[in-house]
Amino acid sequence: MTNGTAVPTPLLDRHTALGAKIVEFAGWLMPIQYSGILDEHRAVRSAAGLFDLSHMGELVVEGPDAAVGLAAALVTDPPTLAVGRAHYSMICAPDGGILDDLIVYRLADDRFMVVANASNARVVSDALAERLAGHRAVLDDRSLATALCAVQGPRSLELMGPLTDLELGAIRYYGIAEGTVAGIPAMVARTGYTGEDGFEVFVDVARAGELWDALLDAGRPYGMLPVGLGARDTLRLEAGMPLYGNELDRSTNPFEAGLGRVVKLARPGDFVGRAALEKVARDGPSKRLAGLVLRERGIARHGYPVQAGERQTGTVTSGTMTPTRNEAIAMAYVAPGDAEPGTMLSVEIRGARVAAEVVPLPFYRRPT
């Protein structure tokens, strides 16, 4: 159900024709499932899945000071990126709280693309515009002009190879290259949000339907299915990947989320949030993100309390019954002393306490 104000993805007609259930998500009309979450999840783990990610934000920063301007705005060190490479990053508030998590691609010496979550694209765009002021850099919000499709799964490389003039095997993980896919000018990145190998394909929004159709046709012989938001969430949770609004938000800093490695405190120069994050790095976080496996029957959901004996130690941020391992898993913020693997806690589910064991993240790693 929608309130009538959501923006349709450029591929909405394709999703409807495939029988997808459509929901409102982050201001967009998006497919939550097609054939079913379990089937879609298993297709990605065993073969491949096709995702419409056209709701994501694409922000291009260009100019002589693009690199140093982004370095002042983000917690990572964009000037160290080689052309054709990318890294995971965050944009933080002065107090260290996370405004959004991002992927930063270096397209040329003086040209970068910052990909933001759909729900935060405007927040990130506004913050970057403010933080780039005084630098010789121009911000171009290309979100509504750009469509994004992703092919994820162990057969992604072989099914996409014949469609492109790029040597996909030569694109390293967190790399990006410009070429054509199905004859359509595209940027192809070896990135994703599922825990599997795969590629994200950026094209002009006018060519989105052509791209989707070509990828879907190419993938069918390999067992590829279109995948909605439901399986995207179970896949990323198994892979221990945080979701903004669940594991990440304005009241959480990168060290609490177990992502302190992203914050480059050793680099020279100031960036927004540096002083606050230096203090957290020195003093330690006030909470820690932990993986949980329920050892009794039940499914932990977002917002459920986590107990250490009679004391509430934290709150579940995400939870599901994992299709791959067939057990109930969750991520939760708990007190630092309760976050060590092997610690026994409990989750309060409809008034009952269900035993849960802290385990290392991620819950799933793809076979090597």
Side-chain angles (χ1 to χ4, degrees):
M1 301 295 291
T2 72
N3 63 13
T5 62
V7 178
T9 167
L11 295 168
L12 183 61
D13 60 336
R14 265 70 173 181
H15 305 318
T16 303
L18 289 166
K21 179 182 178 182
I22 305 298
V23 298
E24 184 175 338
F25 175 78
W28 291 79
L29 295 180
M30 296 290 296
I32 192 167
Q33 65 179 60
Y34 302 83
S35 56
I37 292 174
L38 286 178
D39 286 347
E40 294 165 29
H41 181 111
R42 289 169 178 154
V44 175
R45 290 281 182 251
S46 64
L50 176 61
F51 298 76
D52 175 14
L53 305 179
S54 299
H55 60 310
M56 301 293 280
E58 290 88 13
L59 310 169
V60 175
V61 179
E62 188 169 18
D65 291 346
V68 295
L70 284 173
L74 309 179
V75 303
T76 48
D77 195 6
T80 63
L81 273 175
V83 173
R85 300 292 294 155
H87 64 211
Y88 179 71
S89 186
M90 293 183 182
I91 184 167
C92 289
D95 66 358
I98 301 167
L99 299 180
D100 200 17
D101 62 331
L102 316 162
I103 296 182
V104 180
Y105 299 90
R106 191 166 201 167
L107 307 179
D109 285 340
D110 60 354
R111 183 177 171 88
F112 293 78
M113 180 171 65
V114 177
V115 176
N117 285 293
S119 58
N120 293 327
R122 176 58 64 86
V123 170
V124 175
S125 180
D126 289 348
L128 284 178
E130 180 181 336
R131 297 176 189 189
L132 290 170
H135 292 92
R136 295 173 299 163
V138 176
L139 173 65
D140 182 12
D141 188 338
R142 302 287 300 164
S143 303
L144 295 180
T146 305
L148 175 58
C149 295
V151 177
Q152 300 280 298
R155 306 196 74 177
S156 299
L157 179 62
E158 59 183 311
L159 78 86
M160 275 193 63
L163 291 179
T164 179
D165 59 347
L166 294 167
E167 177 51 58
L168 293 182
I171 302 176
R172 295 160 53 199
Y173 187 52
Y174 269 69
I176 190 168
E178 189 170 353
T180 63
V181 177
I184 303 165
M187 289 186 294
V188 180
R190 200 165 194 168
T191 46
Y193 193 55
T194 63
E196 299 294 340
D197 191 17
F199 300 90
E200 296 185 317
V201 185
F202 300 84
V203 299
D204 186 276
V205 71
R207 310 296 296 273
E210 293 174 65
L211 176 67
W212 176 270
D213 294 344
L215 292 173
L216 194 60
D217 288 346
R220 283 197 178 100
Y222 295 88
M224 184 173 78
L225 293 178
V227 182
L229 295 170
R232 184 170 179 251
D233 193 53
T234 57
L235 289 159
R236 70 92 194 167
L237 180 50
E238 283 187 347
M241 295 177 168
L243 176 65
Y244 199 91
N246 289 40
E247 287 71 43
L248 307 177
D249 57 32
R250 180 65 178 73
S251 66
T252 302
N253 66 61
F255 291 94
E256 293 169 334
L259 296 168
R261 66 186 182 278
V262 175
V263 184
K264 303 306 181 185
L265 294 175
R267 70 171 170 92
D270 197 13
F271 58 86
V272 178
R274 178 168 190 142
L277 293 172
E278 285 176 335
K279 186 176 188 304
V280 178
R282 183 174 62 249
D283 298 344
S286 60
K287 60 183 179 181
R288 284 179 56 192
L289 187 64
L292 301 177
V293 173
L294 272 60
R295 298 307 186 193
E296 297 175 309
R297 187 177 181 86
I299 300 178
R301 300 295 188 192
H302 177 84
Y304 285 9
V306 181
Q307 306 287 138
E310 297 303 310
R311 167 177 55 87
Q312 181 171 342
T313 183
T315 306
V316 172
T317 55
S318 298
T320 193
M321 176 64 72
T322 165
T324 304
R325 293 174 45 163
N326 195 33
E327 58 187 0
I329 61 173
M331 289 194 283
Y333 278 106
V334 299
D338 297 323
E340 292 303 314
T343 302
M344 292 304 300
L345 303 171
S346 63
V347 178
E348 188 175 318
I349 302 176
R350 293 186 293 277
R353 293 187 180 180
V354 176
E357 182 179 354
V358 177
V359 299
L361 291 172
F363 302 101
Y364 166 86
R365 293 184 190 274
R366 69 175 181 262
T368 54

